[in-house]
Amino acid sequence: MIKYGTIALLLLLLISCKKEYTAPLPDITWPLFDSSGTVPLTSMTRQKIEGVYAITEGSDAFGESAVMKCSYTANGSDTTYHFSLFCQKEVIYIICEGKRLDSTILLKGYWRNMVNTETGKIRLTITNSNGASQLLYSTIADSVSGVTVTGVYGSGDNPPDKNIELSYLRKLRTTRTLQIVAHRGGGRTSDLLPASENTVEVIKLASRFGATGVEIDARMTKDGVLILYHDETLNNRLIQKNGLVGPIENYTYDQLYNLVRLKNGEHIPTLRQALNTVLYNTPLHYVWLDVKFSGSLQMLRDMQKEYLLLANAMGRSLEITIGIPDDEVLQNFQALPDFTNVPSVCELTPQNVATVNARIWAPRFTLGLQIAEVQNMHAQGRQVYVWTVDVPDNIRKYMNEGEFDGMLSNYPSAVAYFYYAKQ
């Protein structure tokens, strides 16, 4: 009895001492940036500031180079623009907002290392003598040379006190199109992002992380509402502890909405909310609907068709494909009327791809580069997206040696770096 009591006590101590890892966003307030004299940057300036930069100071922290890319989040008539820097070292990104103060460009934001919990504030400046005049006043789109970005960065909420300097090298790569698809709407909850996976909040962040499209997980509630949620069951990995357990399909949407909060406090969103977010709030132009439920796909197909029509009416470039991950979903997909004309992405064999006339074949990366198979798909007028590629060396290899048209990753910022920086 004493033996079992000792074991129980040790287990209790281990559980009570378990460390909770977090990577909270630092307070990025910068009085100079927020002063009344600052004004938004023009579209021409935002376009010209994009490019590949050498990191001439601070390379020990961020690597030897970084890619600067602009994105936006729209909220009705109000649009917020962000400048993301995707760094060469590990999986590090920097996300800033930009303004002009007289003839100086100011960028304020934060940086994050995705392989650990390191994060901190960053403040960047481009002065008139360091090339701001070219970016602010020149009407020639390609008139960018000799631009130098200087600034400081710090750790956590500490004042930024370490120097960083970047020098403009060249424009972003445009010779090849690659769909950069963020897994689970933008990344996994376990990677300590500012928002939980499969939420409208993380979808709004996806383009800042470098994504051009998102993969989201579609499930159905007990009362037939399509929602976003990856796992089959409610569990402590994804939700705040509340006593509810068991399969998602055992609960109505109202029960999930009122009783469940995801790890960062969000509600489980409906698929309609997610597609509204993509269409009206982001520059994303691809959605992969990963089917995680059994039964008819007609409701999913109807929503896909509805949002494709809405995008077309807006003049918005948007592709939405229904994912086919297994044989059961394949059979349910084939039960749809005119299924060969339904846009789909098929993870199964090339024969299955041909049977459903999928627009995209999506093999897992562990199958290798499959050059011949990819070329055969291209000959048939189809695209090929590889998944899920997270290790930087694998991202580089599959991008440089493969012939894929898209890449699904939990780290779209790493994919964006290797894609845009390649000459």
Side-chain angles (χ1 to χ4, degrees):
M1 192 68 178
I2 295 176
K3 177 181 178 182
Y4 292 120
T6 303
I7 292 173
L9 179 60
L10 287 172
L11 287 174
L12 181 62
L13 288 172
L14 285 172
I15 293 170
S16 63
C17 294
K18 182 179 179 182
K19 184 175 178 61
E20 291 292 330
Y21 291 97
T22 60
L25 293 182
D27 178 4
I28 62 172
T29 301
W30 184 10
L32 181 65
F33 184 94
D34 299 319
S35 64
S36 59
T38 57
V39 296
L41 299 174
T42 66
S43 58
M44 177 66 80
T45 298
R46 293 195 301 269
Q47 176 186 343
K48 291 198 294 183
I49 204 172
E50 293 185 330
V52 181
Y53 289 76
I55 301 177
T56 52
E57 189 170 3
S59 58
D60 54 334
F62 300 102
E64 297 179 354
S65 60
V67 164
M68 177 94 77
K69 188 79 172 62
C70 184
S71 64
Y72 71 82
T73 304
N75 185 15
S77 59
D78 183 23
T79 302
T80 301
Y81 293 93
H82 292 90
F83 296 90
S84 298
L85 288 102
F86 311 120
C87 301
Q88 176 263 335
K89 186 176 180 179
E90 294 174 336
V91 186
I92 300 177
Y93 61 79
I94 301 167
I95 298 178
C96 297
E97 297 177 39
K99 285 185 180 180
R100 173 173 66 86
L101 179 62
D102 299 325
S103 294
T104 298
I105 295 173
L106 304 175
L107 303 173
K108 74 165 184 178
Y110 70 96
W111 63 273
R112 168 75 200 282
N113 188 332
M114 289 287 289
V115 303
N116 53 44
T117 60
E118 294 177 351
T119 186
K121 306 177 185 183
I122 191 163
R123 297 171 181 173
L124 302 173
T125 301
I126 308 175
T127 63
N128 187 46
S129 59
N130 279 340
S133 58
Q134 299 180 62
L135 302 172
L136 292 171
Y137 307 121
S138 173
T139 58
I140 304 173
D142 293 337
S143 179
V144 178
S145 62
V147 171
T148 299
V149 185
T150 60
V152 289
Y153 70 95
S155 297
D157 258 326
N158 296 322
D161 58 359
K162 302 180 185 71
N163 292 332
I164 183 172
E165 182 176 284
L166 305 96
S167 298
Y168 182 88
L169 292 176
R170 59 183 181 275
K171 293 192 297 182
L172 300 178
R173 175 193 193 187
T174 57
T175 54
R176 173 188 169 192
T177 301
L178 182 80
Q179 197 78 262
I180 303 172
V181 187
H183 197 208
R184 303 184 191 179
R188 298 169 298 193
T189 296
S190 58
D191 283 318
L192 309 178
L193 296 172
S196 303
E197 65 185 56
N198 279 308
T199 58
V200 295
E201 291 81 3
V202 83
I203 290 171
K204 290 178 181 179
L205 293 171
S207 61
R208 293 177 225 175
F209 296 152
T212 60
V214 291
E215 178 261 9
I216 51 180
D217 298 299
R219 288 195 177 274
M220 190 172 289
T221 64
K222 183 178 181 179
D223 54 340
V225 177
L226 288 167
I227 61 170
L228 266 59
Y229 194 83
H230 179 272
D231 295 3
E232 184 178 350
T233 62
L234 295 173
N235 58 67
N236 291 336
R237 188 186 78 83
L238 293 179
I239 69 170
Q240 297 176 0
K241 191 173 183 179
N242 61 8
L244 297 182
V245 295
I248 284 284
E249 62 189 19
N250 288 353
Y251 296 91
T252 67
Y253 175 69
D254 282 347
Q255 288 173 322
L256 294 174
Y257 183 85
N258 291 312
L259 301 175
V260 176
R261 292 293 182 275
L262 298 171
K263 280 294 188 181
N264 288 301
E266 309 95 338
H267 291 283
I268 295 175
T270 65
L271 177 58
R272 182 172 296 278
Q273 289 170 334
L275 292 177
N276 276 335
T277 300
V278 170
L279 186 61
Y280 298 113
N281 303 124
T282 78
L284 299 168
H285 50 82
Y286 174 66
V287 178
W288 176 339
L289 301 175
D290 194 3
V291 178
K292 298 289 189 183
F293 62 91
S294 302
S296 172
L297 300 177
Q298 189 60 56
M299 186 181 296
L300 188 67
R301 166 55 180 157
D302 291 343
M303 197 172 295
Q304 176 197 39
K305 187 175 181 179
E306 175 187 347
Y307 278 88
L308 288 173
L309 289 172
L310 283 171
N312 186 62
M314 293 172 59
R316 177 85 153 74
S317 174
L318 181 63
E319 183 177 13
I320 304 172
T321 57
I322 294 176
I324 304 175
D326 56 44
D327 290 335
E328 181 183 1
V329 175
L330 176 66
Q331 292 179 7
N332 294 333
F333 186 86
Q334 289 177 286
L336 291 171
D338 196 25
F339 68 88
T340 58
N341 287 317
V342 176
S344 64
V345 49
C346 182
E347 299 177 27
L348 306 178
T349 67
Q351 291 76 20
N352 295 137
V353 171
T355 297
V356 298
N357 192 32
R359 294 187 181 179
I360 302 166
W361 178 42
R364 66 180 66 199
F365 87 95
T366 53
L367 297 175
L369 297 175
Q370 300 190 94
I371 299 295
E373 292 85 349
V374 173
Q375 290 177 343
N376 185 45
M377 286 291 167
H378 288 163
Q380 297 175 34
R382 309 185 201 279
Q383 293 190 320
V384 184
Y385 293 2
V386 62
W387 62 274
T388 300
V389 194
D390 290 340
V391 177
D393 285 345
N394 288 337
I395 293 173
R396 184 192 299 109
K397 175 183 176 67
Y398 278 70
M399 188 178 300
N400 294 343
E401 299 178 23
E403 298 183 17
F404 299 105
D405 307 285
M407 187 174 292
L408 175 66
S409 179
N410 288 297
Y411 304 133
S413 56
V415 179
Y417 170 78
F418 288 114
Y419 170 62
Y420 290 113
K422 183 173 173 60
Q423 289 182 285

